[in-house]
Amino acid sequence: MASNSPSRSYITTPLYYVNARPHLGHSYTTLLADVIARYRKQRGLQVTFLTGTDEHGEKIEQMAKSQNRDVREFVDEVSQDFRTTWEKMDLKFDIFYRTTDENHVKQVQHALQTLKDKGEIVFREYEGNYCVGCERFLTDNEVTATGLCPDHQKKPEPRKEANYFFLMSRYQQQLIDHYEKNSNAIRPEHYRQEVLSFLKQPLADLCISRPKTRLTWGIELPFDSHFVTYVWFDALLNYLVATGWSGPNWDKSLWETTNHLIAKDILKAHAIYWPTMLLALGAPLFSEIHASGYWLVDGTKMSKSLGNVIRPLEIEERFGRETPRFYLLREMSYGQDSTFTLEGYVNAINAYLANGIGNLASRVLTLCQKNFKGEFAPSSLIEIDHVVLAKRETTLTAWNHGFDELKYQNALKAWSELVTATDLYVNENKPWALAKDPAQAERLQTVLGVCLRLLQALAVIAYPVLPQASRALLAALGIEADPASSTSLALENRSLFHVSAEVPKLFLRVQLPVTEPAAP
Ligand code: ME8
């Protein structure tokens, strides 16, 4: 990370709709936010990580009603489900934001009134095609050849009504200038280009109200009680409100470090609606948007409306703690779509975690126990020892580069290569053979000491992605230092290790259930 980077960092995920329970697609963004938060904290930054739920709007009202549920009770229950899922997955958010909170409602009304007073909101008639799934009007360019919403595979409904409009088009040029000047404002780059190319067309104004005759589950407009606020206008404000805007204790310096994590489905709302709202309110723009592609199942987006979802907790329970973190980061090339398959999952866990780091740690620690009762000091390093130890630095550099470039896949590949290099070092130096020759006792100590230093580096580097495994491995190496602290990254050369008597099972081999042949 560049030396002039800010010392604070505000990382946000989308606020998820509470019309259905969390699935692996939501988990990807949330666990990535957790990984980035831990990565930045490990580098000494003060991080604030926000996630939460988006609880107003038509589709939520429709879903609650279709189940004969009271809407408030329904949103409370699903919001809690999101919260509990993240807690069980050990995702350490600082703020869990709900758009039905009283303060949020108050601040959204304040923002609306401010914009109305400034002449940024007008009343108009509008006609268009509305997708309830997206909760927005789709233009003709956005629907498929057969007129369907590409994400929800449903025909948007034609609607004509009088509504309030936010004069978003006023900010078109300012937005173009901003994105042209700030190459990191939207990452990866192809999404910035996509937004800039979209902005070449005239930008329409944004319809920000819904008549109560159609929808009551929303925030009432402060200047017209016949309408509620459009759910996107309400929800996007969460990011700013959570930093204390518009009160006397607004943490503006935190706000200025904002890094929004999203997937490409909501790029337009975040890269166009949101910054124009900020410009109109006179607030600084967020620093960066990071957009991922989709997780696909059988070629289509994993989504609650399509019903092809994988549940994060079920996966974790079945295949082991922290395995979704590793697999999802290792498998997805950030910014592109990726296909989730159970076969791919099982293969990755076995190859890199169970047979990789898990097997390596258990091999080395068992040899240490057997030969030195867990305590020993490496000495007199020779050339091959120095060569393999130097790979710690190159791995850390590649890891950091991967994070800086949003190429998490590359970071994890570099880490797995260090596991392989360590394995190779063990195979070439044959500590089990050295153990049989008393004249080689010192060399044996050194070889195992080199392995322990490598394991220490592997644990410290992997901490943001595998925090629990990292802690378990360091504890087994007898190292008390917290991998979350920035000093751990110094990759010290320990001269004495107290290896614990118990060899931890970091990751177990997993198997897909064998499908029984159908009865004749
Ligand atoms: O859009 N692949 O909420 P939402 C990757 N409430 N990421 C996925 C995914 C998939 N298949 N499915 C979901 C909303 N996600 C609004 C946001 S923000 C102020 C309001 C993740 O519940 C991804 O982060 O539909 C995506 O952008 C988000 O969930 C959409 O969540």
Side-chain angles (χ1 to χ4, degrees):
M1 198 164 285
S3 58
N4 61 353
S5 309
S7 58
R8 304 179 74 193
S9 171
Y10 180 36
I11 303 170
T12 70
T13 74
L15 297 192
Y16 305 110
Y17 285 129
V18 289
N19 60 340
R21 294 169 50 212
H23 61 65
L24 210 74
H26 306 117
S27 311
Y28 174 68
T29 313
T30 320
L31 67 80
L32 178 61
D34 182 76
V35 168
I36 297 174
R38 289 180 196 261
Y39 174 88
R40 292 186 184 166
K41 281 186 197 162
Q42 201 186 30
R43 278 144 191 84
L45 267 75
Q46 244 186 298
V47 180
T48 305
F49 162 16
L50 169 144
T51 189
T53 44
D54 185 356
E55 306 183 14
H56 292 124
E58 229 172 298
K59 62 178 171 184
I60 288 158
E61 188 178 57
Q62 277 178 7
M63 182 56 75
K65 286 189 174 157
S66 74
Q67 298 183 13
N68 286 325
R69 300 282 308 274
D70 171 72
V71 189
R72 184 162 293 276
E73 225 179 77
F74 176 78
V75 300
D76 282 350
E77 187 181 298
V78 185
S79 175
Q80 186 58 44
D81 195 359
F82 272 92
R83 192 181 174 120
T84 312
T85 301
W86 306 149
E87 282 168 353
K88 286 191 178 156
M89 291 178 79
D90 199 24
L91 308 184
K92 298 259 189 265
F93 51 83
D94 301 289
I95 303 170
F96 190 89
Y97 197 101
R98 299 187 55 187
T99 57
T100 47
D101 278 353
E102 214 177 299
N103 182 54
H104 177 74
V105 173
K106 210 172 95 198
Q107 293 300 329
V108 169
Q109 289 181 327
H110 173 73
L112 283 160
Q113 192 62 57
T114 307
L115 295 180
K116 182 80 174 43
D117 295 346
K118 285 171 85 175
E120 304 275 359
I121 291 176
V122 296
F123 195 60
R124 272 186 201 157
E125 180 116 311
Y126 186 77
E127 191 169 3
N129 292 318
Y130 195 81
C131 171
V132 179
C134 295
E135 289 282 19
R136 65 184 182 88
F137 287 98
L138 300 186
T139 62
D140 291 345
N141 294 337
E142 288 176 304
V143 293
T144 64
T146 52
L148 304 182
C149 162
D151 278 345
H152 298 95
Q153 295 297 314
K154 281 196 186 139
K155 205 172 170 62
E157 304 164 19
R159 285 188 182 176
K160 183 177 178 182
E161 59 196 20
N163 266 309
Y164 286 90
F165 283 80
F166 163 51
L167 300 180
M168 185 161 79
S169 55
R170 289 181 171 178
Y171 296 97
Q172 179 159 8
Q173 193 52 48
Q174 225 174 314
L175 203 54
I176 295 172
D177 294 345
H178 177 74
Y179 288 143
E180 276 176 350
K181 261 194 242 123
N182 295 283
S183 58
N184 275 348
I186 304 173
R187 302 172 70 192
E189 172 65 11
H190 67 274
Y191 289 125
R192 183 173 71 112
Q193 292 307 332
E194 193 178 304
V195 169
L196 278 169
S197 114
F198 180 84
L199 284 169
K200 287 200 177 115
Q201 313 294 324
L203 190 59
D205 292 325
L206 184 65
C207 174
I208 54 146
S209 64
R210 299 291 179 266
K212 278 196 184 163
T213 47
R214 182 146 69 76
L215 174 72
T216 51
W217 186 244
I219 300 179
E220 189 176 287
L221 294 188
F223 42 82
D224 190 337
S225 61
H226 296 101
F227 290 85
V228 293
T229 315
Y230 169 45
V231 64
W232 270 106
F233 192 93
D234 147 6
L236 284 164
L237 280 164
N238 90 84
Y239 302 129
L240 187 63
V241 172
T243 63
W245 181 89
S246 62
N249 299 322
W250 178 27
D251 194 348
K252 192 171 166 199
S253 69
L254 176 67
W255 169 251
E256 283 170 341
T257 68
T258 301
N259 186 173
H260 292 311
L261 302 193
I262 58 168
K264 64 182 180 182
D265 51 346
I266 52 177
L267 181 61
K268 195 169 159 191
H270 281 78
I272 296 178
Y273 302 174
W274 180 221
T276 57
M277 288 164 66
L278 289 166
L279 288 170
L281 287 167
L285 297 188
F286 48 79
S287 170
E288 295 186 15
I289 289 178
H290 295 182
S292 76
Y294 294 148
W295 280 100
L296 309 175
V297 177
D298 299 330
T300 44
K301 183 188 174 201
M302 187 187 306
S303 112
K304 51 208 165 194
S305 51
L306 302 178
N308 57 349
V309 299
I310 309 274
R311 303 277 172 212
L313 286 178
E314 285 165 20
I315 286 285
E316 199 164 63
E317 235 158 64
R318 204 160 143 197
F319 299 115
R321 280 205 74 89
E322 301 190 337
T323 57
R325 301 171 72 98
F326 186 86
Y327 171 80
L328 296 179
L329 262 73
R330 179 79 171 58
E331 192 62 26
M332 180 171 259
S333 167
Y334 195 77
Q336 310 292 326
D337 293 348
S338 262
T339 296
F340 180 94
T341 64
L342 279 179
E343 291 75 14
Y345 198 94
V346 164
N347 289 341
I349 299 319
N350 286 339
Y352 305 116
L353 296 182
N355 297 346
I357 185 72
N359 187 45
L360 172 69
S362 124
R363 249 174 123 190
V364 170
L365 292 168
T366 307
L367 279 162
C368 290
Q369 275 308 328
K370 233 161 112 183
N371 292 293
F372 299 101
K373 301 271 176 299
E375 182 177 316
F376 63 99
S379 62
S380 324
L381 269 61
I382 59 173
E383 179 64 13
I384 42 168
D385 307 331
H386 289 296
V387 170
V388 73
L389 284 171
K391 291 188 198 288
R392 292 174 301 175
E393 291 299 337
T394 46
T395 303
L396 183 57
T397 306
W399 178 268
N400 290 341
H401 193 252
F403 272 77
D404 287 346
E405 299 296 313
L406 318 190
K407 296 195 167 136
Y408 307 107
Q409 212 175 24
N410 291 354
L412 284 167
K413 277 186 187 154
W415 180 82
S416 295
E417 277 163 23
L418 186 59
V419 174
T420 309
T422 309
D423 252 333
L424 213 66
Y425 175 84
V426 175
N427 294 346
E428 281 170 359
N429 289 280
K430 302 185 178 50
W432 55 89
L434 296 175
K436 290 189 186 133
D437 180 357
Q440 295 285 358
E442 197 182 320
R443 181 65 196 146
L444 176 60
Q445 285 234 9
T446 302
V447 169
L448 291 176
V450 167
C451 293
L452 292 177
R453 287 179 186 173
L454 288 159
L455 283 177
Q456 178 184 2
L458 283 164
V460 167
I461 294 172
Y463 165 75
V465 179
L466 302 171
Q468 297 196 9
S470 163
R471 287 210 159 94
L473 180 51
L474 288 174
L477 299 176
I479 297 173
E480 277 165 20
D482 183 359
S485 94
S486 51
T487 50
S488 68
L489 285 173
L491 304 182
E492 49 160 358
N493 280 318
R494 266 184 184 248
S495 47
L496 184 65
F497 283 92
H498 300 276
V499 173
S500 85
E502 223 172 286
V503 176
K505 283 241 171 291
L506 294 177
F507 296 99
L508 299 175
R509 273 188 67 82
V510 288
Q511 255 183 318
L512 280 180
V514 184
T515 25
E516 297 283 327

